[in-house]
């Protein structure tokens, strides 16, 4: 049985092991496929649960819901990195390079808007798909000239 890994943020704790067990009960998985599915479950659940948990936390402190509680929720760099599945240092480098707009600084900590983060993530994914397609074409051309 795989080791249970819990994804944490200040607002929530996720344990995807029951989901993995439900999948493996129906479909046998290799270790690499189980890791990929676990990562996808964590990313999806974290994205889905982050907003409600933040809204609930604000409500418990007596704060009214604001624009931040929706699509433009303010995220720490760790929350943002977990949401899109990258490391915090990588995300900080993207902020410093100007690829992701910095929303505010709290002391020496950076904060980003969820909407800006997701826009960057969609653009980065498009660029990755394009690069992979171009690489595939180059490899196909190289293989074609090798066979001749």
């Amino acid at each position: 049985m795989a080791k249970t890994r819990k994804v944490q943020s200040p607002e929530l704790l996720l344990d995807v092991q029951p989901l993995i067990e439900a999948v493996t009960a129906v479909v046998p998985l290799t270790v690499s496929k189980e890791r990929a599915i676990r990562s996808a479950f964590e990313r999806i659940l974290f994205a889905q649960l982050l907003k409600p948990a933040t809204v609930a936390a604000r409500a418990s402190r007596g704060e009214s819901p604001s624009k931040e509680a929706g699509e433009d929720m303010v995220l720490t760099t760790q929350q943002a990195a977990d949401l899109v599945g990258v490391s915090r240092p990588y995300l900080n480098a993207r902020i410093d390079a100007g690829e992701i707009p910095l929303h505010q600084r709290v002391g020496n900590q950076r904060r980003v808007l969820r909407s800006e983060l997701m826009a960057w993530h969609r653009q980065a994914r498009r660029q990755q798909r394009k690069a992979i397609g171009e690489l595939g074409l180059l490899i196909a051309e190289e293989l074609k000239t090798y066979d001749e």
Side-chain angles (χ1 to χ4, degrees):
M1 180 181 208
K3 184 173 91 175
T4 298
R5 188 174 88 190
K6 295 184 179 183
V7 176
Q8 286 184 264
S9 86
E11 295 88 13
L12 59 104
L13 175 71
L14 296 177
D15 181 7
V16 298
Q17 188 59 34
L19 296 172
I20 297 296
E21 290 171 0
V23 171
T24 57
V26 177
V27 179
L29 297 175
T30 64
V31 173
S32 62
K33 288 182 180 179
E34 182 177 328
R35 253 187 257 128
I37 290 173
R38 178 181 306 279
S39 176
F41 279 164
E42 289 170 349
R43 193 171 47 254
I44 292 165
L45 289 174
F46 188 77
Q48 293 296 314
L49 295 175
L50 185 60
K51 179 179 156 189
T54 303
V55 172
R58 289 177 186 274
S60 70
R61 293 191 304 260
E63 297 176 16
S64 61
S66 65
K67 185 177 180 186
E68 291 177 2
E71 180 66 18
D72 277 346
M73 184 171 63
V74 177
L75 302 172
T76 66
T77 52
Q78 186 62 60
Q79 290 169 327
D82 290 344
L83 183 61
V84 296
V86 299
S87 71
R88 186 185 49 76
Y90 178 79
L91 187 84
N92 285 337
R94 304 290 53 88
I95 293 169
D96 293 342
E99 295 175 24
I100 303 170
L102 176 65
H103 174 65
Q104 71 185 72
R105 279 195 176 267
V106 178
N108 65 348
Q109 298 176 355
R110 300 166 182 90
R111 301 286 191 266
V112 296
L113 291 176
R114 185 178 189 278
S115 60
E116 296 287 349
L117 173 73
M118 298 313 291
W120 166 80
H121 185 61
R122 283 188 297 275
Q123 179 63 27
R125 297 288 294 197
R126 276 193 296 275
Q127 290 173 342
Q128 288 171 349
R129 284 191 296 272
K130 181 180 176 187
I132 289 170
E134 291 172 357
L135 181 60
L137 291 174
L138 289 172
I139 290 172
E141 280 296 314
E142 187 66 29
L143 290 173
K144 190 185 297 183
T145 59
Y146 180 74
D147 287 340
E148 294 175 353

